[in-house]
Amino acid sequence: MHVNVKKLVYAGLCLAISMALILLEGVFGMSTLFLLSLSGFLVGVVIRESGLRMGGVYLAASLALAFFIAPDKIKIITYAIIEIYIFAREAIWEFMAKGEINDVKRTKLIYFLSKLVVFNVLTVPMVLLFPQLFLTEVSTKWLLIAIAVIQPAWYVGDKAYDAFQIGIWNRIKGLI
């Protein structure tokens, strides 16, 4: 099997940065979502630069490594959800890009709804199975409120990922 060195370097560099961010989050613990999200965004960089197959290998390696080096194992659940969501989001886009796009509005709507479904499949069971990760008081009312609140949070996070890919990563890539 022949692996392009540039693709491997991107994956290795992203893995190192991701693990450094996870360690920093463990040391400072100031904002779980910011550092873990930033770390999770790097799977998208690997997929866009090296392809879906290398992204899958990166995903497996980063989750395994994060489990071993993270000081707070519970926060790795959040990290795993973010990475799996980004991987699924990019895979959906790759799948949709292979087909012929006749109606742009319809394609955008299908992509948006697909991302929303993936997000809910990943997060709603986590809120229901491990409510203590998100809530201090666990009752049906608060579980429903938490599920309602994570929907706009998903939208903001998804737009943040787009901004990261377009604004930040393209600038960094231009410097390399």
Side-chain angles (χ1 to χ4, degrees), residues 18 21-23 25-26 31-42 66 70 72 74-80 82-83:
S18 180
L21 289 170
I22 287 174
L23 285 173
E25 193 285 323
S31 176
T32 301
L33 284 179
F34 177 73
L35 292 174
L36 291 179
S37 295
L38 187 58
S39 181
F41 287 176
L42 295 175
D72 190 0
I74 297 295
K75 291 180 181 176
I76 295 305
I77 294 171
T78 305
Y79 173 70
I82 293 167
E83 272 207 329

Side-chain angles (χ1 to χ4, degrees), residues 5-18 46 50 54 58:
V5 174
K6 186 176 181 181
K7 292 178 181 181
L8 195 59
V9 168
Y10 271 119
L13 182 63
C14 287
L15 188 60
I17 293 169
S18 180
V46 172
S50 304
M54 182 69 82
Y58 172 87

Side-chain angles (χ1 to χ4, degrees), residues 52-172:
L52 204 55
R53 181 175 286 165
M54 182 69 82
V57 172
Y58 172 87
L59 176 68
S62 68
L63 291 177
L65 201 54
F67 177 75
F68 288 113
I69 70 165
D72 190 0
K73 304 297 186 220
I74 297 295
K75 291 180 181 176
I76 295 305
I77 294 171
T78 305
Y79 173 70
I81 288 173
I82 293 167
E83 272 207 329
I84 292 168
Y85 169 75
I86 302 262
F87 181 83
R89 177 189 197 270
E90 294 293 331
I92 291 168
W93 179 253
E94 296 251 339
F95 177 74
M96 290 180 73
K98 286 182 183 178
E100 187 176 316
I101 298 173
N102 294 329
D103 186 8
V104 174
K105 285 185 179 182
R106 183 173 177 264
T107 303
K108 284 183 178 182
L109 179 64
I110 290 170
Y111 182 53
F112 177 82
L113 293 175
S114 300
K115 294 186 301 182
L116 182 61
V117 166
V118 167
F119 176 77
N120 282 307
V121 165
L122 290 171
T123 57
V124 170
M126 296 309 294
V127 170
L128 297 175
L129 295 175
F130 303 108
Q132 62 276 12
L133 287 174
F134 310 99
L135 305 168
T136 55
E137 182 183 329
V138 179
S139 68
T140 305
K141 177 180 102 174
W142 286 108
L143 288 174
L144 293 174
I145 290 171
I147 291 170
V149 166
I150 61 173
Q151 303 307 313
W154 160 77
Y155 184 77
V156 170
D158 197 57
K159 292 300 176 188
Y161 174 70
D162 288 337
F164 172 80
Q165 283 290 351
I166 294 167
I168 297 171
W169 177 247
N170 284 342
R171 288 182 188 165
I172 292 171

